[in-house]
């Protein structure tokens, strides 16, 4: 016997929760399946930056890759609008604050990077402007004298990663969606005009196999996307990236903005309850299986070099952070794609199955969700999704053969 | 040798050998103490009513062994220093924390 | 960075000191790190050297003085006091020259990350071939209404102030709990001139069956039991009211403790009668101990739930090695069992680590240590059974307005409400992420068991199934600059 839904969402991170809520809002019968607890992976572990400027990792590899990365700008612009309205639509706070964000430069070379980056972003229509050190410190007195210039984007900010995903899931629940935790999808097979989803449901009593059917299946499985692709015999290439974050004990508010750096990996912000979050993409070590492939189900280990590097980067531009008591440093794993652009669209050759992942999928999660639902409905999405079509890698791998 | 300080309610030093007299400041006010004492001891003996506030409520040491952080104060500019593990030094600046 | 030590021991209590001594006697180069100023751990805390005077150690542990003296003067043991170990990382195999790349993490040793707030220049990392976690235990938290008021203190705290600072924390005191330490502390407070308003013991008097079962464990521990009996006698002689079958239901006061509400409880420790008020300046809580397992958790060691042994304890083999190769455990983190057993475990761990590192260790010595563990565990087993906390009943002392998480001021009502509204959440960690309980400076040490208890209650599972909080670096908060100090050559700031 199997249960029938309009849509099944696989994965209970921010993207999955946003999908379930938006689908339920359109009146669909939805089930969200999460093999763990909700929001326990990248979506609950990330920095919660809503950043729209190009990141250090994009400009770090030269101008060509920065230009490619800039092609995701339409998604970012849409995300900025999404986040501003999301809490009101949902009727619950997501801890969103968009008080602007800085990208800092401490050397002449970095100033030049900022200049070119800002011009490129402005071409794509982002509201961003270049400030000199004095102007930056007037807006942000906590910045050190070593800051020579800053690109300021007033749209940037943060959301609370702790509450955003679960709040969206609760919204879905209120609209009649089913949310099943400890339920792992293990197979996806065509069934009639739709799909049969096989899952293992775990409880203290043991395991139970489920077979659920749906017209559409939404893959929102983050770093596990490639693995789900394998269930469908489709290559959805993703690269796992283990990253470190740290958080301080609460302290009186002193950093209202998002702070990033053009010459080193840094993101720094203060949350609503006073804690300071420090990250920016410092790597952690992914455990490797015997065959050298990363093991995604084991916790990555912290690298001392990252602890040192991240702390030095933060203290360098915001000296007050030196004495801040750090309560926790943790690692999470996120996905990027071989070409740095996200994967958003129908799974090639598998009508009815859709996927989104890659890059800043916290910032972009709501836009991803909106786009996939439009595609599934056969409506034109708000933006041109062509550059993010998952089929681009299929074409590549065929061409190589 | 200092006597047990007879005060009602608050902590009191027992008659005992102690170190040399010393002085620290707590929120700018001088607090007398003895070498070898912890900052927590000096503050409790002086009757400081709150080492920190959480959500407006006063807090003082709970575990006295470094595990609860309820005794956290700012010592010479370093916040959340555990006063139960910190030995007084003449001239030490201690600030209680508000939050 | 200095050269690697054969063994770094975290904790200088009976377990850590005994381990260091055994290992150094067998020829290892040992470093002991403890955030306290002197060796001895919780039970052997003494006044600081500045106070002068003679060291006073508790009776009942005749070996203590010699153990500490020998360890302190041993040329093979270096000490770092006042430093906190805030994390331990396996050395990456590729980063260590000559390491066997096919071996697991830890095969190239460990970096022990330390922070010394009084002397930041001494913060940094030390490398060890093996590590021993001998981090002891802390008083078990019990959330009751008003327990955040200044004047509520743990039994260990009050005793620590008396023993090492000669400070009496309050005048008029109520003590509530179930652990024998409570009576010792009451007796010591009495001797220090405090007025003991009442000692409220949760359990009833031991039944004849319990006493019979306990008898075989007593030989060798007569002195300890005698001491306990002495405490009770002195308290009764001074007219102190010792009530059994009694639990505290609320702490009263405005800005500080002014009174305690006490009520009768049944054999399961559940409140039966109405509460009465006892005026007091302080409430001392002593329901037992929780092992300090944060470093083991951070390292990824396996843990097991065992309520009678103190909650989450570190899984280990007969050699006291944890599930992470090269990481050993001794003393309370392997199960709360008292000073005698901690010392015996430390000795065994020190010896087996020395043997593992190729030092000759006589079989006789190993057998002796094992024998001492067995003998001590007969006694500790009885203590554990007789004084096992009734956690479900203690949890019910918390009302919806009671703060479960002191750091982040998260109430029971908030957690129960979250569990109601989010039927898909079923672990302690899920509650932590959503409600912030366990995210504050104490890293969840003081709310984990209550949070897990509430999850277990709401979902009809056991506390063990509700799981535990993950532990991360730093296991105790350190200033951000302590991270910079981990660099081989710290950059100038
Ligand atoms: C340290 C760090 C910092 C970051 N900082 C930022 C930032 O500041 N801003 C930003 O925009 N992005 C940031 N990111 C990236 C961002 O966190 C992720 O892109 C985003 O959270 C991905 O969300 P998701 O819902 O797609 O995936 P996830 O949150 O990973 O959720 C996927 C879920 O799918 C579940 N799942 C997997 N396989 C199955 C299966 N077979 N059956 C059922 N369930 C399954 C998993 O258990 C998981 O819960 C950061 C990432 C990290 C790690
Ligand atoms: C106040 C008190 C009184 C007690 N009285 C008795 C008694 O009378 N009889 C009895 O049998 N048991 C008693 N106990 C139980 C007691 O815990 C043990 O008997 C014994 O002290 C355990 O020895 P240990 O070596 O395992 O741990 P401990 O003695 O607790 O030593 C652990 C040490 O590790 C250090 N440490 C922990 N984490 C870190 C870190 N991250 N970095 C640096 N240092 C760290 C601590 O500072 C501590 O000194 C008492 C406990 C307390 C708290
Ligand atoms: S009183 Fe608990 S850490 Fe100091």
């Amino acid at each position: 016997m199997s249960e029938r839904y309009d849509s099944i969402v696989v994965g209970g991170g921010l993207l999955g929760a946003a999908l379930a809520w938006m689908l339920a809002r359109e009146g669909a019968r939805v089930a969200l399946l999460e093999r763990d607890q909700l929001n326990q992976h990248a979506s609950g572990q990330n920095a919660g930056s809503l950043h729209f400027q190009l990141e250090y990792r994009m400009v770090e590899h030269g101008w060509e890759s920065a230009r490619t990365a800039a092609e995701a700008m339409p998604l970012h612009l849409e995300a900025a609008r999404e986040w501003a309205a999301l809490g009101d639509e949902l009727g619950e706070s997501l801890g969103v604050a968009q008080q602007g964000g800085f990208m800092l430069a401490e050397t002449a070379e970095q100033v030049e990077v900022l200049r070119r980056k800002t011009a490129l972003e402005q071409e794509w229509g982002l509201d961003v402007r270049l400030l000199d050190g004095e102007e930056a410190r007037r807006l942000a007195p906590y910045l050190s004298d070593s800051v020579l210039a800053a690109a300021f984007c007033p749209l940037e900010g943060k959301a609370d990663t702790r509450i955003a995903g679960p709040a969206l899931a609760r919204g879905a629940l209120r609209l009649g969606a089913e949310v099943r935790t400890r339920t792992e999808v293990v197979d996806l097979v065509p069934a009639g005009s739709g799909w049969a989803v096989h899952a293992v449901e775990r409880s203290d009593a043991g395991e139970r196999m489920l077979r659920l059917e749906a017209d559409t299946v939404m893959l929102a499985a983050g770093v596990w996307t490639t693995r789900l692709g394998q269930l469908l015999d489709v290559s959805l290439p993703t690269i796992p990236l283990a990253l470190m974050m740290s958080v301080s004990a609460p302290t009186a508010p002193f950093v209202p903005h998002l702070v990033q750096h053009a010459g080193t990996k840094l993101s720094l912000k203060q949350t609503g309850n006073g804690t300071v979050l420090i990250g920016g993409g410092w790597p952690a070590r992914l455990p490797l299986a015997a065959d050298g492939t990363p093991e995604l189900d084991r916790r990555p280990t912290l690298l001392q070099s990252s602890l040192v590097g991240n702390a030095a980067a933060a203290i360098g531009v915001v000296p007050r952070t030196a004495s801040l008591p750090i309560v926790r440093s943790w690692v999470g794993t996120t996905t990027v794609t071989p070409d740095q652009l996200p994967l958003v669209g129908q799974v090639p050759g598998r009508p009815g199955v859709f996927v989104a992942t890659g890059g800043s999928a916290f910032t972009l999660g709501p836009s991803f969700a909106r786009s996939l639902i439009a595609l599934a409905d056969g409506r034109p999405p708000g933006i041109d999704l062509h550059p993010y079509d998952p089929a681009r890698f299929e074409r590549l791998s065929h061409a190589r053969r | 040798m200092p006597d047990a300080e007879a005060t009602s309610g608050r902590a009191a030093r027992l008659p005992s050998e102690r170190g040399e007299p010393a002085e620290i400041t707590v929120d700018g006010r001088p607090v007398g103490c003895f070498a070898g004492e912890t900052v927590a001891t000096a503050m409790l003996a002086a009757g400081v009513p709150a080492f920190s506030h959480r959500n407006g409520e006063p807090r003082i040491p709970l575990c006295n062994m470094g595990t609860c952080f309820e005794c956290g104060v700012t010592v010479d500019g370093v916040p959340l220093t555990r006063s139960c593990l910190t030995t007084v030094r003449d001239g030490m600046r201690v600030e209680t924390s508000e939050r | 960075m200095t050269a690697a030590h054969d063994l770094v021991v975290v904790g200088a209590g009976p377990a850590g000191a005994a381990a260091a001594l055994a290992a150094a006697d067998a020829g290892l180069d040992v470093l002991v790190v403890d955030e306290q100023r002197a060796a001895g751990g919780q039970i052997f805390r003494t006044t600081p050297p500045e106070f002068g005077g003679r060291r006073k150690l508790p009776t009942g542990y005749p070996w203590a003085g010699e153990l500490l003296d020998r360890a302190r003067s041993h040329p093979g043991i270096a000490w770092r006091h006042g430093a906190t170990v805030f994390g331990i990382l396996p050395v990456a195999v590729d980063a260590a020259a000559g390491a066997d790349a096919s071996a697991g993490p830890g095969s190239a040793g460990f970096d022990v990350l330390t922070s010394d707030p009084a002397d930041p220049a001494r913060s940094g990392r030390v490398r060890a071939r093996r590590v021993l976690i001998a981090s002891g235990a802390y008083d078990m938290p019990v959330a009751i209404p008003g327990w955040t008021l200044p004047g509520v203190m743990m039994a260990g705290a009050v005793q620590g102030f008396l023993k090492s600072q000669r400070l009496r924390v309050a005048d008029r005191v109520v003590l509530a709990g179930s652990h024998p330490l409570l009576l010792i502390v009451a007796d010591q407070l009495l001797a220090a001139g405090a007025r003991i308003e009442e000692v409220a013991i949760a359990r009833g008097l031991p039944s004849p069956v319990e006493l019979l079962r306990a008898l075989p464990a007593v030989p060798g521990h007569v002195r300890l039991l005698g001491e306990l009996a002495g405490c009770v006698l002195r308290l009764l002689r001074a007219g102190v009211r010792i009530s059994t079958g009694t639990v505290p239901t609320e702490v009263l006061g405005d800005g500080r403790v002014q009174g305690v509400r006490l009520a009768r409880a049944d054999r399961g420790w559940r409140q039966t009668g109405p509460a009465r008020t006892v005026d007091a300046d302080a409430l001392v809580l002593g329901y037992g101990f929780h092992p300090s397992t944060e470093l083991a958790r951070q390292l990824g060691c396996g843990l097991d739930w065992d309520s009678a042994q103190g909650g989450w304890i570190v899984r280990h083999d007969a050699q006291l090695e944890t599930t992470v190769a090269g990481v050993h455990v001794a003393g309370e983190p392997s199960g709360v069992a008292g000073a005698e057993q901690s010392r015996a475990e430390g000795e065994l761990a020190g010896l087996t680590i020395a043997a593992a590192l190729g030092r000759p260790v006589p079989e006789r010595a190993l057998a002796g240590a094992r024998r001492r563990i067995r003998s001590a565990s007969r006694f500790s087993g009885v203590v554990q059974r007789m004084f096992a906390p009734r956690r479900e009943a203690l949890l019910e002392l918390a009302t919806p307005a009671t703060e479960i998480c002191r750091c982040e001021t998260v109430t029971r009502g908030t957690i129960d409400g979250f569990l109601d509204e989010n039927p898909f959440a079923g672990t302690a960690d899920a509650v932590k992420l959503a409600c912030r309980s366990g995210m504050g400076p104490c890293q969840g040490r003081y709310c984990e068991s209550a949070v897990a208890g509430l999850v277990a209650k709401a979902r009809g599972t056991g506390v063990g199934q509700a799981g535990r909080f993950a532990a991360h670096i730093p296991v105790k908060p350190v200033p951000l600059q302590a991270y910079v100090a981990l660099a081989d050559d710290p950059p100038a700031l």
Side-chain angles (χ1 to χ4, degrees), chain B residues 27-52:
Chain B
D27 294 331
R29 283 187 298 277
V31 166
C33 51
F34 299 91
E37 291 185 346
T38 63
V39 174
T41 295
M43 289 172 70
L44 287 173
V48 176
F51 284 44
S52 68

Side-chain angles (χ1 to χ4, degrees), chain A residues 10-17 33-51 55 183-186 220-225 227-228 231 241-245 267 269 280-281 330-335 356-364 368:
Chain A
V10 184
L14 180 89
L15 177 60
L33 311 183
E34 164 58 54
R35 57 176 197 152
D36 195 347
Q37 299 277 308
L38 293 187
N39 211 40
Q40 295 288 304
H41 298 281
S43 298
Q45 294 165 332
N46 74 84
S49 308
L50 301 179
H51 49 67
E55 293 167 75
T183 305
E184 175 171 5
V185 172
V186 291
V223 287
W224 291 276
T225 300
R227 203 186 283 177
L228 281 164
L231 298 180
L241 212 57
L243 304 175
M244 184 190 81
M245 289 290 314
S267 84
K269 73 182 73 66
W330 67 93
V331 292
T333 310
T334 186
T335 18
T357 195
S360 304
F362 183 80
T363 302
L364 299 177
F368 284 178

Side-chain angles (χ1 to χ4, degrees), chain A residues 36-40 44-45 160-163 166 169-170 173 179-182 204 244 246 249-250 271 273 275 278 285 298-299 301-304 307-308 310-312 314-316 321-331, chain C residues 86 89-90 92 94 111 113 125 127 297-298 408 418 421-427 429-430 432-436 438-441 443 460-462 465 470-474 476-484 486-487 491 493:
Chain A
D36 195 347
Q37 299 277 308
L38 293 187
N39 211 40
Q40 295 288 304
Q45 294 165 332
D160 191 335
T161 59
R162 218 169 40 74
I163 60 178
R170 272 194 300 278
L173 214 56
V179 176
R180 300 190 179 188
T181 50
R182 300 179 76 182
D204 296 341
M244 184 190 81
S246 299
T271 66
N273 49 37
T275 61
I278 300 170
R285 184 190 309 276
R298 277 171 50 205
R299 189 145 48 110
T301 41
L302 272 182
L303 293 177
Q304 286 180 68
L307 292 172
V308 175
N310 205 355
I315 296 170
T321 56
S323 65
L324 277 186
I326 298 302
V327 176
R328 211 163 29 254
S329 294
W330 67 93
V331 292
Chain C
F86 67 84
L89 288 171
D94 49 71
D111 278 329
L113 317 182
R125 62 195 164 114
R127 192 156 284 186
R297 294 177 191 216
Q298 177 262 311
E408 300 289 327
F418 168 80
E421 278 168 33
N422 298 273
F424 42 76
T427 62
D429 252 341
K432 171 178 170 181
L433 189 63
C435 301
R436 298 196 58 81
M439 286 199 165
Q443 321 281 50
T461 60
Q465 277 77 48
H472 300 279
I473 283 178
K476 294 186 176 174
V478 295
L480 184 61
Q481 59 204 358
Y483 283 1
V484 181
L486 299 175
L493 287 176

Side-chain angles (χ1 to χ4, degrees), chain C residues 263-280:
Chain C
R264 296 285 308 155
D266 64 16
R267 289 176 58 90
W269 300 12
R270 293 194 190 259
Q271 180 182 352
T272 51
R276 57 194 162 81
T277 302
V278 179
D279 289 344

